Amino acid sequence: MKKLLLWLTALLAAVGLGILAPGPASAATSYCGLAWGSLAKTAPDLSTASVTNVRTGQHYCFDRMVVDLNGPVKGYTVGYVPNIVQDGSGFTIPVQGNARLQVTVNAPSYDQKGNVTYNPAAKAELSNVAGYQTFRQVVYAGSFEGYTSIGLGVRARLPFRVLTLDGPGSGSRLIVDVAHFW
């Protein structure tokens, strides 16, 4: 018992003298161990690849949208907008949710010969996101002059991140994760 009191006293003295101290508090906010933000994210290069698919998934910390390409992702623009706008025509596309992310991939949905590589059957519902915590609707906004746009309706203006991943094979993926909370 005496040894325990001695160790406890030594520990408290070390903390009091600043020898043992907790790490510094971080001013940056993180969510699920990741740095998030809500400002637009861009990469300007054009791709020779084509969009081949759009899919979604759920994670403990975020909802995810994946755009598959048949070659490397070179460029994109992802940001919150007042309205989702259709490529070419400029028409507004209605999207469910209290906030909208316009995802533009700098790659067409057709190949170099003009053959369609991605033509969703239901342009107003690319993926069933019923039951998702953040996503409300995923819509196809078209492909025009080498760019493909997708509208993502979300619950609120929440932080997001954009990633690009190689594979499978010679393809690649543009990934947009939207956090469940701030």
Side-chain angles (χ1 to χ4, degrees):
M1 183 68 159
K2 209 172 200 181
K3 283 186 181 183
L4 179 62
L5 285 173
L6 183 61
W7 279 107
L8 186 57
T9 304
L11 180 64
L12 290 174
V15 170
L17 292 173
I19 297 169
L20 293 177
S26 173
T29 36
S30 67
Y31 176 68
C32 288
L34 304 167
W36 298 87
S38 64
L39 297 179
K41 291 142 181 71
T42 65
D45 295 335
L46 290 174
S47 180
T48 56
S50 300
V51 173
T52 59
N53 194 27
V54 175
R55 52 199 166 91
T56 60
Q58 299 179 68
H59 184 275
Y60 175 76
C61 298
F62 52 82
D63 289 347
R64 171 172 281 182
M65 182 183 73
V66 178
V67 180
D68 294 315
L69 286 88
N70 60 8
V73 175
K74 295 286 186 176
Y76 56 84
T77 301
V78 180
Y80 282 102
V81 294
N83 295 301
I84 301 299
V85 177
Q86 187 177 35
D87 285 341
S89 71
F91 291 126
T92 298
I93 299 173
V95 180
Q96 296 174 13
N98 293 320
R100 289 152 234 28
L101 274 171
Q102 181 109 21
V103 178
T104 302
V105 185
N106 299 2
S109 292
Y110 46 86
D111 64 19
Q112 293 177 350
K113 295 178 182 175
N115 299 314
V116 175
T117 58
Y118 179 62
N119 186 19
K123 293 178 176 26
E125 192 75 30
L126 297 183
S127 181
N128 182 359
V129 293
Y132 280 50
Q133 193 163 346
T134 298
F135 289 175
R136 295 298 178 256
Q137 188 176 9
V138 185
V139 300
Y140 186 66
S143 188
F144 185 72
E145 294 185 346
Y147 297 87
T148 299
S149 291
I150 298 150
L152 187 55
V154 295
R155 177 174 48 83
R157 186 179 172 125
L158 294 163
F160 68 95
R161 67 178 179 168
V162 179
L163 309 165
T164 60
L165 295 175
D166 293 333
S170 61
S172 63
R173 294 158 283 166
L174 175 71
I175 298 168
V176 179
D177 293 334
V178 183
H180 293 161
F181 303 103
W182 269 102

